[in-house]
Amino acid sequence: MQKYRVIEKKLGETPLPAREVVRKSTAELENLPLTYAGRLDPMASGKLLILIGDECKNRKLYDRIDKEYEFEVLFGFKTDTGDVLGLAERCGNLPDFSGGKIRQVIKSFVGNQKLPYPAFSSKTVDGVPLFHHALSNNLEEIEVPKVDITIYRMSFCDMRTVSCEVLIQNILEKINLLQIGPPDSRLGSGFRKEEIIARWQSLLETKSKQYVIAKCRAVVSSGTYIRSLTPLIAEKLGTYGLAYSIHRTKIGRYVPLTKDFGFWTKTF
């Protein structure tokens, strides 16, 4: 019997339905416990590690595995979630920055960092998940905790521009991939999907304004939220930004030899 299986989580899926796809794929897994090690947000795709049977008891052994991501930063917007699945605001004009400037800023993040947990995450404060605090509009009354992480490598890949019309259309397509039940009495149920869609639609401009999207690649320690990192990258560039896309390409153990070179001793 396999101890684990690596799957490709789809955009719009939450980890629980992705786990159940694994269960239904093989008859012998039907009555076995399954869990995932290292969640992926609904608007992130890529490798997800599913533990099988007795290996679920060893989940903590997998909690510290490193990850590699390819992600895109959309400049000129911000949301309360740090990615496209949030209430969006357009944030003024974009500064005139080059690929060279982005590359310089990206490299400044390599090393040990303290990143704030996203406001919409399950990290608890005073016994309550952060997203409950966010939905109750009392984030200013608490101290949002930070997590110690390591960015082993981060590089700038390329940059592109897209019109506002195409951008909003693509974002709505992403959000509409989210398969959820109807909202109920629970705080945060339904992911505020209709409200988020309406907000993005309200930001559609009739004039053909262009927005910049930068693609990056990063090797990071466990606990790194890319949607916490992307607004900080934009801030160092003198603007606002959010995670337009996140794709996990590797999971395992990474050994950094220098600031710019290292290798994976184990990949799943």
Side-chain angles (χ1 to χ4, degrees):
M1 173 65 65
Q2 286 180 288
K3 292 183 177 181
Y4 56 79
R5 187 176 296 182
V6 178
I7 65 170
E8 287 287 323
K9 190 190 84 67
K10 299 175 183 177
L11 184 66
E13 268 187 329
T14 58
L16 287 177
R19 181 194 67 183
E20 292 310 302
V21 169
V22 173
R23 187 186 303 282
K24 294 175 184 178
S25 67
T26 308
E28 62 182 347
L29 299 181
E30 184 176 355
N31 298 313
L32 288 178
L34 300 177
T35 190
Y36 53 86
R39 65 172 292 115
L40 273 172
D41 292 325
M43 291 293 103
S45 61
K47 294 189 181 299
L48 183 65
L49 183 62
I50 304 293
L51 305 182
I52 300 172
D54 288 342
E55 197 66 12
C56 294
K57 301 174 184 177
N58 299 323
R59 179 176 174 176
K60 287 188 177 180
L61 299 178
Y62 295 88
D63 281 347
R64 303 305 299 173
I65 55 178
D66 303 319
K67 284 99 176 175
E68 180 185 75
Y69 293 94
E70 290 182 353
F71 63 95
E72 292 179 306
V73 187
L74 168 62
F75 299 105
F77 293 91
K78 67 177 180 179
T79 65
D80 53 2
T81 59
D83 62 4
V84 300
L85 193 60
L87 295 177
E89 296 178 51
R90 186 185 293 109
C91 302
N93 294 323
L94 289 173
D96 184 18
F97 50 76
S98 64
K101 179 63 176 176
I102 297 175
R103 188 174 288 107
Q104 179 184 354
V105 165
I106 289 292
K107 287 188 175 181
S108 72
F109 283 91
V110 174
N112 297 328
Q113 304 283 341
K114 280 185 176 290
L115 291 186
Y117 281 92
F120 281 81
S121 68
S122 57
K123 177 67 176 177
T124 58
V125 176
D126 298 331
V128 178
L130 264 176
F131 74 88
H132 278 221
H133 289 288
L135 290 169
S136 301
N137 296 315
N138 68 339
L139 285 177
E140 294 183 358
E141 301 173 15
I142 64 170
E143 183 177 351
V144 176
K146 294 184 178 182
V147 58
D148 292 307
I149 59 98
T150 301
I151 299 176
Y152 301 114
R153 296 180 64 185
M154 188 151 65
S155 57
F156 168 68
C157 299
D158 57 44
M159 183 168 60
R160 61 191 173 98
T161 59
V162 61
S163 70
C164 185
E165 181 180 6
V166 171
L167 178 69
I168 301 297
Q169 178 183 341
N170 290 343
I171 288 173
L172 294 179
E173 288 174 357
K174 290 172 185 276
I175 296 172
N176 280 318
L177 290 174
L178 182 64
Q179 300 298 313
I180 53 173
D184 54 38
S185 60
R186 294 172 300 163
L187 189 64
S189 70
F191 283 87
R192 309 176 298 167
K193 184 176 177 180
E194 297 307 318
E195 185 180 1
I196 288 166
I197 287 174
R199 178 68 67 86
W200 278 112
Q201 288 174 331
S202 73
L203 298 176
L204 180 62
E205 294 176 309
T206 54
K207 57 184 179 181
S208 184
K209 185 171 182 177
Q210 298 289 309
Y211 286 92
V212 176
I213 298 174
K215 183 177 181 180
C216 306
R217 182 179 292 111
V219 180
V220 299
S221 65
S222 178
T224 304
Y225 284 87
I226 299 298
R227 58 191 173 98
S228 286
L229 180 60
T230 47
L232 296 178
I233 292 172
E235 183 180 336
K236 275 201 173 185
L237 287 162
T239 185
Y240 293 90
L242 56 84
Y244 180 69
S245 71
I246 303 173
H247 183 71
R248 185 186 288 165
T249 51
K250 285 184 181 180
I251 49 178
R253 182 166 177 263
Y254 182 80
V255 176
L257 299 181
T258 68
K259 199 171 185 179
D260 298 314
F261 181 73
F263 66 96
W264 294 85
T265 62
K266 182 176 181 61
T267 54
F268 293 92

